[in-house]
Amino acid sequence: MLNDVTFGQYYPANSFVHRLDPRFKLLALIAFIVMLFVANNFYALAACAVLLFAAIAAARVPLGSVLRSIKGVIFILVFTGILNVFFHSGKTVYWQWGIFKVTSEGIIFTVFLMFRLFFLVMASSILTLTTTPVSLTDGIESLLKPLKLIRFPVHELALIMSIALSFIPSLIDETNRIISAQKARGADFESGNIFKRIKAVVPILIPLLISALRRAEELGDAMDSRCYSGSKNRTKYKKLRFGWRDLLAFLLVGALIAGVVLLNIYCYNIFPQIYAYIRIS
Amino acid sequence: MEDIIVSENLKYSYPGQEGFAINGISFTIRRGEFVSVIGHNGSGKSTLARLINGLLEPDSGKLTVLGMDVNEGKNAIEIRKHVGVVFQNPDNQMVASIVEDDVAFGPENIGVEREEIGRRIDWALSAVGMEKYRHSTPARLSGGQKQRIAVAGVLAIKPDVLILDESTAMLDPRGRKEVIEVVRRLNKEEGMTIVLITHFMEEALLADRTIVMNRGEIVLSGSPEEIFKQGEALETYNLSLPRISVISQNLRSAGMDIKDVLKPAELAAEILKNFNNRGISGGESSFPAPADIAPAGEWDINIKNLTFTYSKKSPFATRALNGISLKISDGEFFGIIGHTGSGKSTLVQHLNALIKLPQAEKKYRKPKVKKGQPAPLLPLITVGGFDLSSKKTDFKSLRASVGMVFQYPEYQLFAETVFDDVAFGLKNFNKKLPAEEVEKAVRDSLEIVGLNYEEVKDKSPFDLSGGQKRRVAIAGVIVTKPHILVLDEPAAGLDPKGKKEIMELLHKLHSGWCKTVIIVSHDMDEVAENCTRVAVISNGEVFACDAPANLFKRADELSALGLDVPLTTKISACLEKGGVIIHSDCTVKDFSQKVIEVYAGGKDA
């Protein structure tokens, strides 16, 4: 039942993008997303696309696995698209029925929006495909460090995330084993109405919960006996390092920001009407 | 040598529980000693480990570690720097999903400098022989490897004392060996003080000194030889004699002069010495009575060409079974052995269609066969009258007839009362069963597993002891009176007495409710003592399938697979070098008899 759950999306390889500092990758993703929404014409959007595909190529992950990430959100994308096509206001009306109308501006805007969203999802998937959950956690912890000043428990949060990640495989195993065991006792999880099915899950959930509590207790003892006493006086073995790759990538992202801004200023004349609508929206 | 741990009249009781878990014990452990601690489940062994480590605070008495009193809270962290504990379940000790991060956790906690942490990781990983796995994910390692990582994680703190709290209980023999070797090396080469808490008598023998605990008290303490001499005393403490001591006793009672020794080669030497004294320079025993070959019955199991791949069509595809063909006759007590990951569990899950054959899946369509190519071999399984390769088979009744007890079955208990939990399967298989019949079946099955129905039926299964929980879980499977009962490692994690009782229970079931019993096991001695036939699974294939007497003659081949052989086989091999050939069915009883037979034969000659 759960055999096919491979945790995370990480695609093992040793590419340029894989070896970037996770903190940088997180920041670059945020910068990229901001640029996607700053871009107000197709040229600026094309600049984003160039960087995106360059990143995919440099990451040496199959294009298929990047595109597959869209599959998960395709429903939301299509739904947003339909809403936009039918409800966007514009001057050139092709078709109208009640409150629904299709305008040329609406179509152009929707296409533009679709590209934005596709690129957004693809860029995020590059991050998760090239970064292990562990280094993502490290990156987040490091980026959140300033919050320590307002006594936000950054270290504890990162430790919780790290432990959660390391426990997922054994909890999946455990779930599979309990499911099999109850099936062997004639439990039926696949038929009956929704209420019957929910009730059928009880013999899985209770043992799983108890086992999770037992594990937590043992883990607590193991951590205590390994001298854990919170973040006080703690050193950290792994230091994230900002290397030449990061510098190079940093320059590329900087170039994108500059490019998008320049294209926004100088090219909006080419698609004036789009510019107008995007500003309105 | 310096006294490193000193305890005087130590007492501890768990809050809300009656009586003392540790009841006034005094002992001293010196630097560099290797001490093993044995005792039945609940004898206080683990509590003792937690007290020494400062995880629990004693009620009274004195306990000092390197002169520091554990009663003083401020010493806790300092004591833990010097005393490391490795716990039972390796999965529950990992805080990170990369090996080196996990090993770094301890040194990070005590504020070790970055470069020094790096050096300590190098050292700790090489001390446990896991250097190559520095950047691996623990989830992908074997149990023994994971536990070695846990040991490394403790070593990286550079403790003086290493306590292993049943750290080998959940491992297979190979993993157990790996961990024990690491521990012995640490003791010999690094001079580390070791406290090994274990249920395995064979492991306890390796120590310089053995402490026996019973109901919170230390009842025996001395060298392993001295301890295991006291045969009956051990049994009153719910422990078993190691098999080697049982053989020695048997031989002694036949008039042979056998010293108490703990290694197979030494025992063989003792036996040969006796033979020499009688002028027997060689000899051969009679053959054991051939095992009854069960005739074909109504409930034979037939497996043909069984192949199975996990996560098919994904980058993680792993072939678990590779063309298995096997016949198990009605009425057998059948053993399946092999390493973790050899495919044993996958194999048995086919028997009650928890894993269905591809042809039995709803979506299955016959593959098109190109002209000139042979049709692909399809796996076939029949269990009695059930054809598992057909979509039309009533899989529910199949599961009612083929009971399956998983590893650590007590972890599946879920209901509010023992009665409801045991009745769960029964009600699933037959929703219309009248209440009186349900009650009768539950009563019968609880009583056959040795529990008092009136006493336990309304209790919560979670309030029972470990051994009782396992019995309830087994009762919950046999309540449908399955004809075939499959058990995955039924005795895992129990103390010696618990193991013995579970095996006795299985024999009781075998002669009553469940005509065919199939056990999956790691324990060669257990299999040799109990099974009529044994299949060895290796890399998803049947390596051999035979009666123990014949199978274990191939000791060399089994060792090549990394599998162990029963103790009797090891002693026989040593005897053979001395010209004495013993043919036994590998049970301790038969082996002793055969040795005595040759010995007695010498007298006549």
Side-chain angles (χ1 to χ4, degrees), chain B residues 8-216:
Chain B
E8 274 165 45
N9 203 18
L10 189 67
K11 284 192 180 183
Y12 179 81
S13 61
Y14 283 98
Q17 272 179 28
E18 254 177 68
F20 286 100
I22 293 286
N23 195 2
I25 65 174
S26 306
F27 62 91
T28 307
I29 291 173
R30 289 182 200 88
R31 189 180 285 280
E33 248 192 318
F34 183 167
V35 179
S36 57
V37 182
I38 54 177
H40 59 91
N41 280 341
S43 61
K45 306 185 302 290
S46 296
T47 312
L48 184 61
R50 283 168 162 77
L51 283 167
I52 297 175
N53 196 230
L55 291 171
L56 298 174
E57 224 174 278
D59 295 352
S60 67
K62 206 175 166 193
L63 178 62
T64 57
V65 176
L66 283 159
M68 289 176 283
D69 195 329
V70 296
N71 271 325
E72 286 173 40
K74 65 174 165 50
N75 285 339
I77 294 280
E78 201 52 39
I79 286 173
R80 286 171 200 161
K81 280 187 200 171
H82 295 281
V83 181
V85 185
V86 181
F87 293 90
Q88 196 180 76
N89 189 340
D91 286 330
N92 298 350
Q93 299 171 61
M94 300 283 156
V95 292
S97 17
I98 302 279
V99 167
E100 63 169 357
D101 294 351
D102 191 74
V103 178
F105 181 72
E108 285 176 341
N109 287 335
I110 54 173
V112 176
E113 290 304 319
R114 226 176 73 77
E115 286 75 25
E116 171 64 13
I117 296 180
R119 279 193 294 275
R120 287 193 183 190
I121 296 174
D122 289 339
W123 171 75
L125 285 178
S126 74
V128 300
M130 291 291 291
E131 310 91 313
K132 274 190 237 155
Y133 298 90
R134 186 169 182 151
H135 301 285
S136 308
T137 306
R140 302 237 162 131
L141 302 178
S142 73
Q145 289 175 324
K146 277 190 234 176
Q147 198 61 291
R148 276 146 76 197
I149 297 300
V151 173
V154 171
L155 286 182
I157 306 172
K158 297 232 167 176
D160 300 284
V161 185
L162 185 63
I163 302 180
L164 294 110
D165 186 6
E166 291 188 33
S167 309
T168 54
M170 300 184 93
L171 307 180
D172 66 355
R174 185 157 56 177
R176 222 150 60 209
K177 222 166 144 189
E178 287 168 12
V179 171
I180 290 296
E181 268 166 25
V182 163
V183 169
R184 290 183 81 181
R185 204 170 54 231
L186 283 168
N187 177 248
K188 289 229 166 67
E189 290 170 16
E190 310 272 342
M192 189 164 285
T193 314
I194 305 284
V195 179
L196 175 71
I197 298 173
T198 183
H199 275 325
F200 296 99
M201 297 301 130
E202 282 73 15
E203 287 175 5
L205 303 179
L206 303 171
D208 306 327
R209 188 151 66 97
T210 300
I211 291 175
V212 182
M213 292 193 66
N214 184 44
R215 297 173 188 215

Side-chain angles (χ1 to χ4, degrees), chain B residues 49 77 106 121 143 228 249 321 346 370 382 419 437 458 475 541-542:
Chain B
I77 294 280
I121 296 174
F228 291 111
Q249 271 188 357
L321 298 177
T346 314
K370 282 182 197 159
T382 54
F419 183 92
E437 280 184 48
D458 295 322
E541 289 170 22
V542 180

Side-chain angles (χ1 to χ4, degrees), chain B residues 11 96 186 252 260 293 312 383 386 397 433 497 499 547 570:
Chain B
K11 284 192 180 183
L186 283 168
R252 264 200 298 271
D260 271 293
I293 303 296
K312 235 179 188 170
V383 175
F386 294 98
S397 349
L433 204 64
K497 193 185 174 204
K499 275 190 181 155
K570 286 180 199 161

Side-chain angles (χ1 to χ4, degrees), chain A residues 3-7 10-12 132-135 137-138 155 158-170 173-174 176-191 196 199-200 202-208 210-211 214-241, chain B residues 50 53 55 77 80-81 83-89 91-98 100-115 117-119 121 134-135 137 139 149-150 153-154 157 308 310-312 314 316 349 352 354 396 399-400 402-404 406-407 411-415 420-426 428-429 462 472-473 476-477:
Chain A
N3 270 334
D4 293 330
V5 179
T6 45
F7 181 67
Y10 184 66
Y11 183 89
T132 59
V134 183
S135 50
T137 317
D138 283 348
H155 159 76
L159 188 68
I160 290 169
M161 275 159 63
S162 159
I163 289 172
L165 287 172
S166 68
F167 268 72
I168 285 173
S170 37
D173 277 356
E174 179 106 44
N176 279 330
R177 200 161 41 234
I178 296 171
I179 291 176
S180 298
Q182 308 299 27
K183 262 187 173 169
R185 294 210 277 164
D188 186 355
F189 306 115
E190 277 132 31
S191 59
K196 271 191 184 151
K199 221 182 136 199
V202 172
I204 300 174
L205 279 188
I206 290 180
L208 194 62
I210 288 168
S211 127
R214 193 185 54 239
R215 282 169 189 276
E217 212 176 296
E218 278 185 44
L219 176 74
D221 275 352
M223 285 171 65
D224 273 345
S225 79
R226 281 163 80 183
C227 305
Y228 182 70
S229 56
S231 57
K232 222 171 46 182
N233 302 327
R234 210 168 177 274
T235 45
K236 199 137 172 59
Y237 170 59
K238 273 217 174 131
K239 256 211 182 110
L240 300 170
R241 285 225 179 99
Chain B
R50 283 168 162 77
N53 196 230
L55 291 171
I77 294 280
R80 286 171 200 161
K81 280 187 200 171
V83 181
V85 185
V86 181
F87 293 90
Q88 196 180 76
N89 189 340
D91 286 330
N92 298 350
Q93 299 171 61
M94 300 283 156
V95 292
S97 17
I98 302 279
E100 63 169 357
D101 294 351
D102 191 74
V103 178
F105 181 72
E108 285 176 341
N109 287 335
I110 54 173
V112 176
E113 290 304 319
R114 226 176 73 77
E115 286 75 25
I117 296 180
R119 279 193 294 275
I121 296 174
R134 186 169 182 151
H135 301 285
T137 306
I149 297 300
V154 171
I157 306 172
F308 183 78
Y310 278 106
S311 316
K312 235 179 188 170
S314 92
F316 303 101
Q349 289 191 40
N352 67 349
L354 278 177
K396 218 167 184 181
R399 284 179 193 162
V402 182
M404 179 136 347
F406 279 77
Q407 233 181 79
Y411 292 170
Q412 315 140 20
L413 300 175
F414 71 95
D420 288 346
D421 213 299
V422 174
F424 177 68
L426 201 61
N428 282 332
F429 289 122
F462 304 108
V472 170
V477 173

Side-chain angles (χ1 to χ4, degrees), chain A residues 13-211:
Chain A
N14 200 11
S15 76
F16 180 84
V17 183
H18 280 82
R19 295 170 71 175
L20 289 175
D21 187 322
R23 290 171 300 179
F24 172 75
K25 278 194 262 191
L26 277 162
L27 290 177
L29 178 68
I30 295 169
F32 182 80
I33 293 172
V34 171
M35 283 306 110
L36 276 178
F37 284 90
V38 167
N40 59 16
N41 62 64
F42 278 98
Y43 284 111
L45 200 62
C48 293
V50 168
L51 188 75
L52 177 66
F53 284 97
I56 294 174
R60 298 212 201 119
V61 290
L63 190 61
S65 52
V66 179
L67 293 176
R68 212 168 299 137
S69 62
I70 296 174
K71 225 166 85 181
V73 289
I74 195 87
F75 174 75
I76 303 173
L77 290 185
V78 169
F79 187 69
T80 327
I82 291 172
L83 279 185
N84 271 292
V85 169
F86 286 115
F87 290 105
H88 202 277
S89 55
K91 286 178 210 141
T92 335
V93 179
Y94 294 129
W95 178 83
Q96 187 163 15
W97 185 73
I99 53 164
F100 302 103
K101 67 177 169 187
V102 176
T103 65
S104 78
E105 291 85 353
I107 289 174
I108 292 170
F109 178 76
T110 304
V111 170
F112 199 84
L113 185 74
M114 287 289 106
F115 272 117
R116 271 182 177 167
L117 294 177
F118 276 130
F119 290 167
L120 190 153
V121 174
M122 284 164 79
S124 315
S125 81
I126 294 176
L127 178 75
T128 50
L129 282 166
T130 63
T131 321
T132 59
V134 183
S135 50
L136 255 185
T137 317
D138 283 348
I140 294 171
E141 180 185 7
S142 176
L143 288 176
L144 291 181
K145 239 178 214 159
L147 292 181
K148 266 187 188 162
L149 291 177
I150 56 164
R151 301 216 175 160
F152 184 79
V154 176
H155 159 76
E156 281 75 10
L157 191 74
L159 188 68
I160 290 169
M161 275 159 63
S162 159
I163 289 172
L165 287 172
S166 68
F167 268 72
I168 285 173
S170 37
L171 283 178
I172 289 181
D173 277 356
E174 179 106 44
T175 314
N176 279 330
R177 200 161 41 234
I178 296 171
I179 291 176
S180 298
Q182 308 299 27
K183 262 187 173 169
R185 294 210 277 164
D188 186 355
F189 306 115
E190 277 132 31
S191 59
N193 60 32
I194 181 94
F195 294 106
K196 271 191 184 151
R197 285 195 199 194
I198 290 172
K199 221 182 136 199
V201 176
V202 172
I204 300 174
L205 279 188
I206 290 180
L208 194 62
L209 191 74
I210 288 168
S211 127

